[in-house]
Structure formats: structure tokens, C-alpha cells
Amino acid sequence: MSESLDKTTSPSSASSRATPPGAEDPDEGHDVSDTFYTSQRKKGSHVFRVRLDATGFTLQRESPGGSIVKEQHVRISDIVGARCMRPKKSRRLAMSGACACSSGNPNSPAISASGDHHRTANTPSKCSTNSRENLPSDAGDASAFLYVFAYVLKKRSLRSELHRERTVLTLRFRSFDTFEDNMREADRWYRSLRWQLHRTLEEIFVAPTADERRRRVLVLLNPKSGSGDAREVFNMHVTPVLNEAEVPYDLYVTKHSNFAIEFLSTRCLDAWCCVVAVGGDGLFHEIVNGLLQRQDWAHVLPHLALGIIPCGSGNGLARSIAHCYNEPYFSKPVLGAALTVISGRSSPMDVVRVQLQSRSLYSFLSIGWGLISDVDIESERIRLLGYQRFTVWTLYRLVNLRTYNGRISYLLTDHQVSSTQSATGYAAQRRMQNSRSCNTHIDRLNGPAPNYHSSAEYLPQEFADVISLETSINQSFRSRCDSWLSGGSRRSFYYSISESIYHSLADESEFAGLSAAALENRQQNYGPASELPDLDEPLPEDQGWLVEEGEFVMMHAVYQTHLGIDCHFAPKAQLNDGTIYLILIRAGISRPQLLSFLYNMSSGTHLPEAHNDHVKVLPVRAFRLEPHDNHGIITVDGERVEFGPLQAEVLPGIARVMVPK
């Protein structure tokens, strides 16, 4: 291997020995293997046997005698995609994330020679004759390269936490005299990897076409969420991952409150397989409510997965998903969420129907009354502090403690049935007679539980001479990101290698004229019907309703593990267990006890093992709150709603949320 090539790619690259390309057989070649070698000045030459199969890449280092010295495995679940390309002068294509033989490159000779400018860029690499002959490269170098992108679990030291680190496996093919033959061999490995990756995708993420391309992703971005850097976060950290995985997407930037509700409740969504919120939990709340205001909600929900890129202040859902699947979060939360979005895996998720006096809405995270809701809303005045605003205002409110008088009625879950069986059975009772697709979706909730990552499955320092680590933002082979266009542009496009589109919404907000009353009316029309009596009707005594009444410091109903990145509020919660965890704190609790409760929320040790005089943890499937005061704050998913009585009931597994592999 030449010295210049070492500098261009990585400290070491692997070169292929002779393996004839052979005829292409659609029924064979999904498992490929070959012998590669490295040539380094300091470490000398090494021979590697590389194999790609359904489990991923296996790299075996051989001794001169042919015995295996070391073996390393890069799992298929850690690999996101690959590129095949020419070296050196065409390195600009690597920087843009465009394969030399893919129509994703707008300057590809395959397009310019054919004159066909309407091809979609998510067509797999075919390595046309024009693209092989006309692309510039160094004279005399007929090599073809395959770059495999993976994000592996790794530890920097024994005491450090696991994190995902970008890894590039570089394979060089130069067994033949012509670039044509070498690229054909590289493309054979590329198509084999692509086939293996698509086997891991659920059906809803794959287009029903001959080449089984990835379906498009709808991205909704709130530029004002959190500290206001969602645009930059998406541009710098999410777009490159989407491009590496060749996932096409359409990006819409929201321009006003409730835009996501208006968009998703009225648009045709057939073109997209999932909706991704780039923002906080508030934007995800709008997405859930928009989908459940559709007349065809029972058909849409089973075929549309939901994802989130955490750019808000709380980010409870993103943290809960990472926790439930044992994925690293704190080191690179956005990267982990981006990898979840491209995973092609989803899980059923409970949604809670909330009935207020004037309208109904749907919740995915929590319902609060009292201390935590006060902190959540009142701390908005110091929003510039980011997530630390919650800590500051908690201390302030602890000194100026309030209590609220009210009545809380609830229905406990059935402890005689396992949580999975309980959720499935309860969902079966809720089936709508005209919702055939929804019934089919709920019937599939009994599938096997997902495999969790073992903490031991991370990439050690071995094989550093074959695998190059690239961890900075502006890396080689990072995808090109065009400049963001101004918010005042009427309609603009944002291109990636997957022909993804950025929409400027200055002229597309045709919903802006809809009144709040119209939105509320639509919220009452669709979604599953309630099984509870109306809010102004008494609760039936023969159905097992229990009552707590008196002075309370707070009531918080939670159905995810985390309310924020370091608020492990309901440790036993699962995404689809059909349970609302109702936490009640009565008046009379001392400030030291309350401080201990709040302090231990970060570790999940704040809840008592058994009920005491002041704190109760109740697993329920429905509850009703009736405040006796005429003032206070009530929140749903961290958003303030009208003060007054409300009731809530869990709808097990009616939505789908994207989860890690």
C-alpha cells in the first residue's frame, strides 16, 4: 500500500488478494469472504481473513503458519452502511458521502451521460460503465475501496462508561488490472452488506420494490426547543448518520405552536415510514396528538413508527428509550438517538387518553399536579439556564412549599396477570370494530422481547491496524451538508445523498388560520373511545375504584422511566406495560424528607418499597383528579393545560416508537 493512501484514509487499509468476480447470482453471494493484508512500515505486513455474514464482519488475523492469532467481530447491528469509491482525487465524493457509482452524487457520470435527472438517489450502487471510466483518479491505480461505517460500543478505560464510537472499516480491492473489475468486486461486497442490513429491518421500513429500498422518513424540527440549537444539532450530528445509512428523509421546520398537530392530522402520510421529532418532549406530544386526531388513526398508527432526537430541556422519552434498551446516553445522546432512528426496529408504546373539561388529548410521558408541575412551568422564566433551571427552581419551590387540596380516584392494575398479558388483554377489549389494521397490530405485541446489549460487547483496542477510528465532527467520509437556507425563503430544498428535502415553511402553513377551538373539536372526534364515564358523572362503585382525598404536595402520573435526562422517576416502567405509575405525596412530609425524595430521583431510589404515611406508589390503569382549589398548575407531558378536574386511562401499545437494535 502506498504512503499517500495511508494518509488519505487511515493508518492502515486492507487490500484484497485475487478472487475472481464471477457471475452474479441473486440467490448466492450474500455471505462473502476473502483474504486481505496490511502493509505498514512500523508493524510490518499482516494477513487477515475477512468474512461477512448475517452476524456481521469477522476479521481473523493469521500467523505466517496459517493459524489464527486474533479474531474480532463487528456486529451487523452496529453497522449502519457502506460506500464503494475510487481513491485520492475522488476523495471529495467520500467527504460528501456520495458513492462514485451512485446517482446520489449529482455529478455522477452515470447521470450526466444518460441525461436522466429524475432518478432517485436512494437507488443502490450499480457501478455503471461510465462511472468507472470517467471518474478522475491517479494514473495507474485501478483500486476500488469499500468503506464500512459502524458505531461500536467502546470503553476509553476500565473506569469509563460505555459509549458509541464511529468506526470505519476500509477494504481495498486491487486484485485485477482494471478499475472495472475491482469495482465490481467491491460492489459485490457492498450489495451483500446491504442485503444483510435490510434483513434486520422491520417490514414497515422497507419499500415494496424489487430492490427493497429504505422508505422515507419525515423529520419535524422545532428550532426553538431547548437552547435553540436544534438546526445546528441536526445539521452537524444527525444528517451525516442518515446519509451513511442511506436513509432518505424530508425535513420540515416548524414555524408556530401546534404546527405538528395541524400537519399530521391533515396530511397524507403514505410516503413515510416514520416521523422523527427533532426537539423536546413538547414536539413529540404534538406529533402523538396530531396522529390521534386523524379519522384513519387505527390504520396509520400500526404502519408509522415515531422517533425523537433530544434537543429539548427535559428529553424524558429519549432517555427512557435508551435506559430500557441499555444503550449509552450521557456521552453522546444525539448520536444514540440518531442511530435509533435508522435502526429499523420499533416497539409498541402505551399512550394515555386524558379527558379535560373542555377537550380530550393524548399523553406519552406524564400528568402532573403540584410541586413538579410548578417547577416545570414556573422555571420557564429562567429557560436560558437549560436543564439546570429545574434544579434551581426546585430549591426555590422547596423553600416556598405549597400544598393542594383535592380528591384522587384510581383503578389498580390486575396483579394476578403478568404485565404483558395484562396489556394485551386490555388492548383486546379496546378494539374498534372498524379498525382491522389496528387489531392486527395489537395481536403482534406478543412477540419475543428484544435482545439487550451486554455490557461486555464493546470493541477493544485490538485490530487497530485494520479499523480506523474517526471521532471528530469534520471527518473524512462524513456526508456533505449544504448550508441552511434562510427562514424567509419561500420554498427551498435541502439535498443529501439520499435526495432528502428541506422545506422552508414560510409559505406552507396553510393551517395557520385554524382556530384553537377547531383543533380542540378535532381532538374530540377521533382516536379510541373512552371506557370511563364522562368527567361530570360519578364513578361506579362496583368497578373497584379507590379514593385518596385531602391535602397533597404533589401528584404525578408517569408511564416512562425518566422525566428528564437525570430524573429516573419510575424505575419499573416499560414502554408497553399497560401501567400508569401514580405517585402521591401528602401534606405533612418534612422538608428534609422531601429533599431526600427529590435528590434521589436521579438514581431512581426515591420511591419507598412500601407505602408510608406520606408517599404512595400506585400502579393503576385509570385515575381521576378532582382539585378542590380553584388555582394551581396541571401539566400533561410537561405542557400546561387548563386547571380543573381530569381523568386518564391507558391505551396499551396503540403507538409504535423506534428503539435501538
Side-chain angles (χ1 to χ4, degrees):
M1 178 172 52
S2 65
E3 182 69 16
S4 60
L5 182 58
D6 287 338
K7 293 179 180 178
T8 303
T9 56
S10 61
S12 63
S13 297
S15 303
S16 170
R17 286 181 177 175
T19 299
E24 297 183 3
D25 185 348
D27 297 326
E28 297 181 359
H30 296 313
D31 294 352
V32 291
S33 62
D34 209 335
T35 302
F36 294 78
Y37 66 89
T38 61
S39 179
Q40 296 177 312
R41 292 182 176 180
K42 295 183 179 180
K43 297 184 179 180
S45 298
H46 299 289
V47 177
F48 291 88
R49 186 68 180 174
V50 181
R51 176 177 175 82
L52 169 62
D53 55 25
T55 64
F57 277 91
T58 301
L59 299 89
Q60 296 176 329
R61 178 176 167 182
E62 297 181 354
S63 67
S67 59
I68 303 301
V69 178
K70 291 183 180 180
E71 180 173 303
Q72 180 59 45
H73 189 67
V74 181
R75 300 187 308 164
I76 195 71
S77 59
D78 294 337
I79 300 172
V80 300
R83 293 288 182 277
C84 53
M85 62 189 71
R86 301 190 77 161
K88 296 195 175 178
K89 288 188 178 180
S90 59
R91 183 174 178 268
R92 293 188 303 272
L93 300 175
M95 293 292 290
S96 66
C99 181
C101 51
S102 168
S103 58
N105 174 18
N107 299 319
S108 171
I111 296 180
S112 59
S114 64
D116 182 4
H117 298 280
H118 298 286
R119 293 177 58 191
T120 58
N122 47 17
T123 303
S125 167
K126 296 300 182 184
C127 298
S128 69
T129 302
N130 290 331
S131 68
R132 299 173 194 172
E133 293 178 352
N134 296 339
L135 280 176
S137 65
D138 285 351
D141 188 359
S143 301
F145 285 80
L146 177 69
Y147 300 98
V148 180
F149 307 113
Y151 291 82
V152 297
L153 284 172
K154 190 175 178 62
K155 273 191 173 183
R156 292 189 177 92
S157 65
L158 293 177
R159 295 184 178 181
S160 64
E161 295 184 353
L162 285 172
H163 65 281
R164 291 281 177 186
E165 193 159 287
R166 184 174 184 264
T167 303
V168 179
L169 173 62
T170 306
L171 300 178
R172 181 182 184 184
F173 299 85
R174 58 174 180 175
S175 301
F176 303 98
D177 295 334
T178 64
F179 171 73
E180 187 84 10
D181 290 336
N182 288 321
M183 182 56 83
R184 185 183 298 111
E185 180 69 3
D187 186 62
R188 183 170 73 92
W189 280 68
Y190 166 81
R191 288 184 287 106
S192 176
L193 175 60
R194 188 171 177 272
W195 186 86
Q196 301 287 7
L197 289 173
H198 279 215
R199 288 183 59 191
T200 67
L201 304 179
E202 294 178 359
E203 182 179 353
I204 63 173
F205 298 101
V206 181
T209 58
D211 55 359
E212 295 186 336
R213 293 174 295 177
R214 292 285 295 255
R215 293 181 61 200
R216 302 189 73 83
V217 172
L218 171 62
V219 180
L220 298 178
L221 185 148
N222 179 8
K224 296 184 179 180
S225 62
S227 56
D229 59 351
R231 287 176 182 261
E232 181 180 356
V233 167
F234 182 80
N235 189 21
M236 298 299 297
H237 302 290
V238 181
T239 299
V241 176
L242 293 173
N243 290 344
E244 287 176 352
E246 298 180 272
V247 175
Y249 61 91
D250 297 300
L251 173 63
Y252 287 82
V253 179
T254 62
K255 295 299 181 182
H256 58 82
S257 177
N258 290 329
F259 174 84
I261 294 179
E262 301 160 359
F263 186 99
L264 292 170
S265 62
T266 57
R267 289 290 186 97
C268 177
L269 305 177
D270 294 341
W272 299 298
C273 64
C274 59
V275 182
V276 177
V278 182
D281 293 327
L283 179 58
F284 196 88
H285 173 83
E286 289 190 18
I287 290 174
V288 170
N289 280 271
L291 293 173
L292 281 163
Q293 290 174 27
R294 299 177 63 92
Q295 188 173 7
D296 60 347
W297 66 270
H299 171 74
V300 170
L301 288 182
H303 300 94
L304 194 70
L306 308 179
I308 186 167
I309 304 295
C311 296
S313 299
N315 303 318
L317 179 61
R319 181 68 182 95
S320 297
I321 293 172
H323 174 80
C324 290
Y325 285 82
N326 200 25
E327 273 291 305
Y329 183 85
F330 288 103
S331 58
K332 299 176 181 179
V334 173
L335 173 62
L339 295 175
T340 297
V341 165
I342 66 171
S343 68
R345 300 287 297 276
S346 64
S347 168
M349 184 182 72
D350 297 341
V351 174
V352 171
R353 183 182 187 274
V354 184
Q355 182 180 353
L356 306 175
Q357 287 181 301
S358 62
R359 61 188 175 114
S360 294
L361 67 156
Y362 298 90
S363 168
F364 70 93
L365 184 64
S366 66
I367 303 170
W369 172 57
L371 176 61
I372 292 182
S373 294
D374 293 347
V375 171
D376 201 4
I377 299 303
E378 293 175 352
S379 65
E380 286 287 337
R381 64 191 69 179
I382 54 173
R383 190 178 184 86
L384 291 177
L385 296 180
Y387 191 75
Q388 295 302 320
R389 67 186 173 99
F390 298 118
T391 302
V392 173
W393 207 260
T394 296
L395 296 175
Y396 172 77
R397 187 48 59 206
L398 187 63
V399 174
N400 301 276
L401 193 61
R402 299 170 179 161
T403 60
Y404 299 94
N405 189 19
R407 175 187 176 95
I408 302 170
S409 308
Y410 55 90
L411 281 175
L412 291 173
T413 56
D414 188 356
H415 295 286
Q416 304 302 319
V417 185
S418 67
S419 61
T420 304
Q421 293 173 333
S422 176
T424 305
Y426 186 62
Q429 297 176 10
R430 308 194 61 84
R431 292 175 179 170
M432 310 293 287
Q433 294 181 357
N434 61 345
S435 303
R436 183 175 181 180
S437 60
C438 183
N439 296 345
T440 302
H441 157 66
I442 296 176
D443 287 339
R444 296 166 62 185
L445 302 187
N446 288 323
N451 294 326
Y452 295 95
H453 293 308
S454 169
S455 59
E457 293 177 322
Y458 61 89
L459 186 71
Q461 294 297 331
E462 301 162 346
F463 285 83
D465 51 348
V466 180
I467 300 177
S468 59
L469 298 180
E470 300 176 13
T471 56
S472 63
I473 295 177
N474 297 320
Q475 293 291 344
S476 301
F477 317 117
R478 276 294 192 186
S479 307
R480 173 182 59 84
C481 298
D482 288 348
S483 301
W484 287 88
L485 298 168
S486 65
S489 59
R490 294 185 57 81
R491 184 182 179 92
S492 51
F493 294 91
Y494 178 82
Y495 291 102
S496 73
I497 63 159
S498 300
E499 202 178 70
S500 304
I501 302 174
Y502 163 72
H503 298 267
S504 177
L505 299 174
D507 65 330
E508 295 189 49
S509 189
E510 65 268 28
F511 323 108
L514 294 176
S515 64
L519 286 176
E520 293 177 4
N521 290 335
R522 190 161 66 245
Q523 288 174 340
Q524 296 174 354
N525 291 338
Y526 304 118
S530 174
E531 291 187 343
L532 302 180
D534 289 339
L535 194 55
D536 56 357
E537 296 180 0
L539 296 171
E541 298 179 358
D542 58 347
Q543 292 186 3
W545 286 89
L546 303 176
V547 177
E548 297 281 342
E549 191 167 7
E551 292 282 339
F552 297 91
V553 172
M554 58 165 270
M555 177 217 79
H556 224 78
V558 183
Y559 8 104
Q560 305 292 347
T561 58
H562 289 72
L563 291 180
I565 57 176
D566 62 352
C567 183
H568 195 184
F569 200 79
K572 295 182 180 180
Q574 297 293 329
L575 291 174
N576 62 325
D577 57 3
T579 301
I580 301 171
Y581 288 89
L582 189 64
I583 289 86
L584 306 178
I585 299 183
R586 283 188 169 273
I589 187 172
S590 66
R591 281 179 172 79
Q593 285 178 306
L594 188 56
L595 179 61
S596 175
F597 178 92
L598 298 172
Y599 178 80
N600 290 323
M601 285 195 307
S602 61
S603 61
T605 58
H606 58 297
L607 300 179
E609 294 293 335
H611 299 326
N612 56 45
D613 293 339
H614 300 110
V615 181
K616 284 188 176 182
V617 183
L618 305 167
V620 306
R621 55 187 176 91
F623 72 91
R624 176 181 287 185
L625 168 65
E626 299 170 280
H628 295 336
D629 302 314
N630 57 4
H631 63 87
I633 295 176
I634 295 178
T635 57
V636 175
D637 295 344
E639 302 296 322
R640 188 171 188 172
V641 298
E642 63 188 76
F643 186 81
L646 65 80
Q647 62 186 17
E649 56 185 322
V650 66
L651 310 173
I654 68 167
R656 299 200 71 85
V657 66
M658 304 189 74
V659 297
K661 287 186 179 179

